[in-house]
Amino acid sequence: MMKIGFIGLGMMGNPMAHLLAQTGHTLAVMDLNAATAARFAAEHAGASVAGELKDFGDADIVITMLPDSNAVEAVVLGNAGKPGLLSILKKGATLIDMSSAEPMRSRKLAQTLQDKGLQYLDAPVSGGVKRAVDGTLAIMVGGDAAVLAQCEPVLKTLGKNVTHVGQHGAGHAMKALNNYVSAAGLVATVEALQVGQSFGLDPEIMVAILNSSTGKNNTTENKAKQFMLSGAYNSGFSLALMAKDLGIAMGLGESVGFDMPLGDEVLQIWRDANEALGKGADHTEMYRYFRNRKQ
């Protein structure tokens, strides 16, 4: 069995850490909110709280599930004069970054870790809170195949599909591009539903027809009725995070010299919605945003 550290017990991280706690591995957890980490440890026999990064010094694997590259780099490289995991982890330990981070920065971070005798995988996820709970996330992995082989049993506790997509940074690149396609499809679906309703179509019937026709997509199948038409708006993934991931995708396009005109338009729509709806809005509230725009 392994000694695993897990940093970031948010809406996705908490159920993921819960699954790891069921496997018998020694698990230490950390969160910006110390009470959250304490509550998790109290609810999971065998889990402990890492009060400081140095408590991960004997870990075989440390998993980060954090908001962005800035947060990841603060933990790995150190922040405000405090040492990071780079100078704390034992030789041969592996950092698995499951956050949604910037691919180019992930590549650089991987090299920095390797220079210190540490291993790195970027392994972001897709599937939302529901699939985090039942361990069926899609996990896209960048890094050395041999390192992935060592860590795959742990990752398969969290995801049904674990796919090696390339070298360091490739996982984060794939995640950003996946979310771009998903976000563009969501906007197209929302626009179609609003136009159809204005014409007099029943949105429930529209969704059913889209799901039996060529317009079927992740939004029509898993979000439209469940979170939008119902007015629940509680999918568990924030609008701000979607806008952030879109920014990463557009930045990736720019870094490789590829113009993304549709992507630029989609990003602006999400940024405008994020500004209008405010902090904490679920990404499915894009439906409400478009409805109010019509008014």
Side-chain angles (χ1 to χ4, degrees), residues 4-8 16 20 27-28 30 56 61-66 85 94-99 154-155 158:
I4 300 175
F6 198 101
I7 304 176
M16 292 166 67
L20 291 173
L27 182 67
M30 174 181 281
F56 294 119
I61 293 173
V62 174
I63 296 171
T64 50
M65 192 65 178
L66 298 168
L85 294 173
T94 302
L95 174 73
I96 305 179
D97 182 18
M98 306 191 78
S99 319
V154 172
L155 292 176
L158 307 174

Side-chain angles (χ1 to χ4, degrees), residues 10 53 56-57 61-62 71 83 95 116 125 127-128 135 143 155 170 179 205 263 279:
L53 288 176
F56 294 119
I61 293 173
V62 174
L95 174 73
K116 289 288 188 177
V125 304
L155 292 176
N179 278 14
I205 294 175
K279 185 178 179 180

Side-chain angles (χ1 to χ4, degrees), residues 84-284:
L85 294 173
L86 182 67
S87 59
I88 290 171
L89 293 177
K90 65 184 182 182
K91 298 292 184 183
T94 302
L95 174 73
I96 305 179
D97 182 18
M98 306 191 78
S99 319
S100 293
E102 299 172 41
M104 294 301 185
R105 291 171 71 174
S106 299
R107 271 188 184 175
K108 184 177 180 180
L109 188 63
Q111 187 59 58
T112 300
L113 287 161
Q114 286 184 319
D115 290 345
K116 289 288 188 177
L118 301 169
Q119 302 181 138
Y120 173 86
L121 296 173
D122 51 295
V125 304
S126 181
V129 174
K130 180 180 178 181
R131 289 175 63 183
V133 170
D134 61 22
T136 61
L137 291 166
I139 304 176
M140 47 216 88
V141 185
D144 294 339
V147 178
L148 172 57
Q150 295 170 11
C151 300
E152 195 164 19
V154 172
L155 292 176
K156 284 193 171 179
T157 301
L158 307 174
K160 183 177 182 181
N161 297 305
V162 178
T163 306
H164 186 220
V165 294
Q167 287 304 306
H168 298 122
H172 285 146
M174 187 65 244
K175 170 63 182 292
L177 294 172
N178 172 77
N179 278 14
Y180 162 52
V181 173
S182 177
L186 187 147
V187 169
T189 301
V190 166
E191 287 184 333
L193 289 174
Q194 297 294 349
V195 171
Q197 289 177 79
S198 296
F199 183 77
L201 295 174
D202 184 323
E204 297 274 349
I205 294 175
M206 286 185 70
V207 172
I209 292 174
L210 287 168
N211 281 333
S212 63
S213 305
T214 57
K216 178 172 66 174
N217 59 54
N218 181 259
T219 297
T220 63
E221 288 188 303
N222 301 308
K223 301 174 186 178
K225 287 187 177 181
Q226 298 91 324
F227 304 115
M228 296 176 176
L229 300 185
S230 68
Y233 304 126
N234 60 352
S235 74
F237 186 71
S238 76
L239 198 151
L241 284 177
M242 184 66 89
K244 182 210 72 173
D245 288 352
L246 282 167
I248 293 174
M250 297 309 106
L252 177 62
E254 182 178 356
S255 71
V256 299
F258 194 92
D259 187 34
M260 300 175 70
L262 176 60
D264 290 337
E265 291 292 334
V266 172
L267 174 58
Q268 191 59 54
I269 289 170
W270 281 89
R271 284 179 171 170
D272 289 345
N274 185 46
E275 183 176 349
L277 295 177
K279 185 178 179 180
D282 191 88
H283 81 291
T284 57

Side-chain angles (χ1 to χ4, degrees), residues 39-83:
R39 183 166 56 251
F40 182 95
E43 293 172 351
H44 295 83
S48 63
V49 175
E52 300 181 56
L53 288 176
K54 67 180 182 180
D55 294 336
F56 294 119
D58 63 346
D60 300 301
I61 293 173
V62 174
I63 296 171
T64 50
M65 192 65 178
L66 298 168
D68 52 34
S69 289
N70 290 336
V72 173
E73 289 174 3
V75 165
V76 176
L77 304 178
N79 188 39
K82 295 182 179 180

